[in-house]
Tab-separated table of all heavy atoms in Angstrom:
chain	number	residue	atom	x	y	z
O	204	ILE	N	25.128	6.263	-1.331
O	204	ILE	CA	25.564	5.960	-2.632
O	204	ILE	C	27.113	6.208	-2.816
O	204	ILE	O	27.516	7.356	-2.479
O	204	ILE	CB	24.724	6.951	-3.618
O	204	ILE	CG1	23.296	6.568	-3.624
O	204	ILE	CG2	25.368	6.799	-5.117
O	204	ILE	CD1	22.467	7.472	-4.402
O	205	ARG	N	27.712	5.360	-3.394
O	205	ARG	CA	29.090	5.493	-3.803
O	205	ARG	C	29.234	5.209	-5.237
O	205	ARG	O	28.930	4.034	-5.776
O	205	ARG	CB	30.063	4.582	-3.053
O	205	ARG	CG	31.583	4.670	-3.406
O	205	ARG	CD	32.422	3.888	-2.586
O	205	ARG	NE	32.578	4.582	-1.177
O	205	ARG	CZ	33.262	4.020	-0.176
O	205	ARG	NH1	33.771	2.773	-0.278
O	205	ARG	NH2	33.406	4.702	0.851
O	206	LEU	N	29.623	6.200	-6.112
O	206	LEU	CA	29.731	6.003	-7.561
O	206	LEU	C	31.136	5.478	-7.919
O	206	LEU	O	31.998	5.933	-7.452
O	206	LEU	CB	29.405	7.426	-8.275
O	206	LEU	CG	28.079	8.023	-7.962
O	206	LEU	CD1	28.023	9.421	-8.604
O	206	LEU	CD2	26.904	7.130	-8.481
O	207	HIS	N	31.027	4.498	-9.003
O	207	HIS	CA	32.108	3.919	-9.515
O	207	HIS	C	32.064	4.049	-10.971
O	207	HIS	O	31.261	3.311	-11.663
O	207	HIS	CB	32.261	2.537	-8.958
O	207	HIS	CG	32.510	2.237	-7.646
O	207	HIS	ND1	33.755	2.083	-7.046
O	207	HIS	CD2	31.599	2.296	-6.595
O	207	HIS	CE1	33.638	1.883	-5.734
O	207	HIS	NE2	32.337	2.051	-5.400
O	208	ALA	N	32.913	4.915	-11.565
O	208	ALA	CA	32.897	5.092	-13.045
O	208	ALA	C	33.567	3.866	-13.618
O	208	ALA	O	34.606	3.484	-13.337
O	208	ALA	CB	33.687	6.336	-13.457
O	209	LEU	N	32.856	3.177	-14.647
O	209	LEU	CA	33.401	1.974	-15.287
O	209	LEU	C	34.655	2.201	-15.965
O	209	LEU	O	35.615	1.294	-16.046
O	209	LEU	CB	32.389	1.449	-16.189
O	209	LEU	CG	31.172	0.745	-15.559
O	209	LEU	CD1	30.208	0.160	-16.494
O	209	LEU	CD2	31.696	-0.360	-14.621
O	210	ASP	N	34.931	3.436	-16.475
O	210	ASP	CA	36.205	3.578	-17.177
O	210	ASP	C	37.480	3.640	-16.140
O	210	ASP	O	38.601	3.681	-16.649
O	210	ASP	CB	36.341	4.880	-18.033
O	210	ASP	CG	35.835	6.153	-17.132
O	210	ASP	OD1	35.772	6.066	-15.884
O	210	ASP	OD2	35.821	7.260	-17.681
O	211	ARG	N	37.136	3.623	-14.956
O	211	ARG	CA	38.122	3.462	-13.846
O	211	ARG	C	38.119	2.216	-13.177
O	211	ARG	O	38.823	2.034	-12.161
O	211	ARG	CB	37.984	4.668	-12.903
O	211	ARG	CG	38.097	6.044	-13.525
O	211	ARG	CD	38.001	7.097	-12.461
O	211	ARG	NE	38.026	8.510	-13.060
O	211	ARG	CZ	37.831	9.624	-12.335
O	211	ARG	NH1	37.536	9.543	-11.018
O	211	ARG	NH2	37.892	10.773	-12.914
O	212	GLU	N	37.229	1.206	-13.671
O	212	GLU	CA	37.145	-0.067	-12.982
O	212	GLU	C	37.586	-1.165	-14.106
O	212	GLU	O	36.779	-1.729	-14.620
O	212	GLU	CB	35.695	-0.336	-12.521
O	212	GLU	CG	35.159	0.722	-11.540
O	212	GLU	CD	35.792	0.548	-10.119
O	212	GLU	OE1	36.300	-0.628	-9.806
O	212	GLU	OE2	35.856	1.342	-9.293
O	213	PRO	N	38.864	-1.390	-14.022
O	213	PRO	CA	39.380	-2.390	-14.997
O	213	PRO	C	38.805	-3.749	-14.866
O	213	PRO	O	38.781	-4.570	-15.860
O	213	PRO	CB	40.868	-2.381	-14.849
O	213	PRO	CG	41.064	-1.879	-13.564
O	213	PRO	CD	40.003	-0.854	-13.212
O	214	ASP	N	38.383	-4.122	-13.706
O	214	ASP	CA	37.862	-5.535	-13.398
O	214	ASP	C	36.409	-5.616	-13.652
O	214	ASP	O	35.810	-6.650	-13.313
O	214	ASP	CB	38.250	-5.947	-12.066
O	214	ASP	CG	39.771	-6.036	-11.860
O	214	ASP	OD1	40.467	-6.378	-12.810
O	214	ASP	OD2	40.194	-5.839	-10.686
O	215	ARG	N	35.699	-4.631	-14.040
O	215	ARG	CA	34.278	-4.667	-14.309
O	215	ARG	C	33.865	-3.960	-15.561
O	215	ARG	O	34.420	-2.835	-15.861
O	215	ARG	CB	33.532	-4.072	-13.174
O	215	ARG	CG	31.976	-4.225	-13.182
O	215	ARG	CD	31.441	-3.563	-12.019
O	215	ARG	NE	29.872	-3.759	-12.134
O	215	ARG	CZ	29.231	-4.515	-11.351
O	215	ARG	NH1	29.798	-5.300	-10.427
O	215	ARG	NH2	27.870	-4.629	-11.507
O	216	SER	N	32.953	-4.578	-16.349
O	216	SER	CA	32.527	-4.067	-17.641
O	216	SER	C	31.016	-3.671	-17.596
O	216	SER	O	30.636	-2.992	-18.549
O	216	SER	CB	32.848	-4.941	-18.723
O	216	SER	OG	32.128	-6.277	-18.483
O	217	SER	N	30.245	-4.185	-16.772
O	217	SER	CA	28.784	-3.982	-16.770
O	217	SER	C	28.350	-2.991	-15.664
O	217	SER	O	28.902	-3.071	-14.638
O	217	SER	CB	28.149	-5.219	-16.660
O	217	SER	OG	28.357	-5.956	-15.469
O	218	GLU	N	27.249	-2.152	-16.023
O	218	GLU	CA	26.634	-1.406	-15.067
O	218	GLU	C	25.845	-2.194	-14.033
O	218	GLU	O	25.416	-3.306	-14.337
O	218	GLU	CB	25.767	-0.297	-15.718
O	218	GLU	CG	26.543	0.598	-16.577
O	218	GLU	CD	25.626	1.735	-17.070
O	218	GLU	OE1	24.526	1.391	-17.563
O	218	GLU	OE2	26.048	2.891	-16.878
O	219	GLY	N	25.657	-1.602	-12.891
O	219	GLY	CA	24.870	-2.262	-11.834
O	219	GLY	C	25.144	-1.812	-10.383
O	219	GLY	O	25.897	-0.817	-10.352
O	220	VAL	N	24.506	-2.320	-9.447
O	220	VAL	CA	24.555	-1.946	-8.110
O	220	VAL	C	24.887	-3.101	-7.172
O	220	VAL	O	24.380	-4.154	-7.331
O	220	VAL	CB	23.226	-1.276	-7.575
O	220	VAL	CG1	23.335	-0.896	-6.122
O	220	VAL	CG2	22.912	-0.106	-8.555
O	221	GLU	N	25.831	-2.923	-6.194
O	221	GLU	CA	26.085	-3.850	-5.223
O	221	GLU	C	26.029	-3.158	-3.853
O	221	GLU	O	26.480	-2.171	-3.689
O	221	GLU	CB	27.554	-4.435	-5.365
O	221	GLU	CG	27.617	-5.281	-6.737
O	221	GLU	CD	29.077	-5.772	-6.838
O	221	GLU	OE1	29.921	-5.451	-5.986
O	221	GLU	OE2	29.244	-6.518	-7.837
Side-chain angles (χ1 to χ4, degrees):
I204 294 175
R205 177 175 285 177
L206 298 175
H207 295 263
L209 284 181
D210 58 6
R211 298 180 183 178
E212 299 286 337
D214 297 329
R215 187 180 178 108
S216 59
S217 61
E218 294 187 311
V220 177
E221 294 179 358

